[in-house]
């Protein structure tokens, strides 16, 4: 099924609106998106079989994004963290 630019933009907007605040796509959301855009959902069994893999990929991307966010915050607040620890670095023993 060829997708022209207007249908592709409508697909992107529909996906963005339906995913906001929702942790995983889910088969029901995918079916909703296919129905709104007008793409026939003939092979539902294939959709349900792939849903498991898609959910694992989404979870991996979410966890990786969280890790990158933590690294950025740690890097930007390194000076403040050292001041709170009294200038101690990792692996050093506190002075008596």
């Amino acid at each position: 099924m060829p997708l022209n630019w207007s249908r592709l933009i409508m697909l992107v907007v529909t996906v963005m609106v339906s995913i906001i605040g929702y942790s995983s796509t889910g088969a029901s959301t995918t079916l909703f998106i296919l129905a709104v855009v007008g793409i026939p959902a003939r092979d539902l069994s294939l959709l349900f079989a792939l849903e498991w893999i898609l959910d694992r990929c989404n979870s991996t991307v979410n966890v990786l994004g969280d890790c990158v966010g933590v690294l950025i915050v740690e890097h930007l607040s390194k000076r403040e963290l050292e001041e709170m620890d009294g200038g101690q670095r990792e692996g050093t023993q506190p002075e008596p």
Side-chain angles (χ1 to χ4, degrees), residues 1-2 4 6-8 13 19 23 28 34 41 43 45 56 58 60 66 69-70 74 78 83 87-88 92:
M1 173 178 203
N4 56 17
S6 63
R7 188 172 265 187
L8 189 61
V13 169
I19 297 300
S23 62
S28 59
L34 291 176
D43 297 326
S45 60
R56 296 317 180 261
N58 287 338
T60 303
D66 291 345
V70 167
E74 193 271 337
K78 188 175 249 180
E83 288 174 5
Q88 296 174 2
T92 60

Side-chain angles (χ1 to χ4, degrees), residues 10-92:
M10 186 172 151
L11 176 65
V12 169
V13 169
T14 306
V15 169
M16 287 172 46
V17 168
S18 66
I19 297 300
I20 292 174
Y22 195 57
S23 62
S24 66
T25 56
S28 59
T29 306
T30 306
L31 288 174
F32 167 73
I33 293 168
L34 291 176
V36 167
V37 176
I39 298 173
R42 288 176 254 186
D43 297 326
L44 291 178
S45 60
L46 179 63
L47 176 67
F48 289 120
L50 291 176
E51 184 62 34
W52 184 84
I53 296 171
L54 291 174
D55 188 43
R56 296 317 180 261
C57 292
N58 287 338
S59 297
T60 303
V61 169
N62 285 338
V63 169
L64 206 58
D66 291 345
C67 291
V68 169
V70 167
L71 286 173
I72 290 171
V73 169
E74 193 271 337
H75 178 73
L76 293 175
S77 61
K78 188 175 249 180
R79 188 177 323 139
E80 290 87 1
L81 290 172
E82 286 177 355
E83 288 174 5
M84 288 173 52
D85 290 340
Q88 296 174 2
R89 296 187 182 258
E90 285 185 32
T92 60

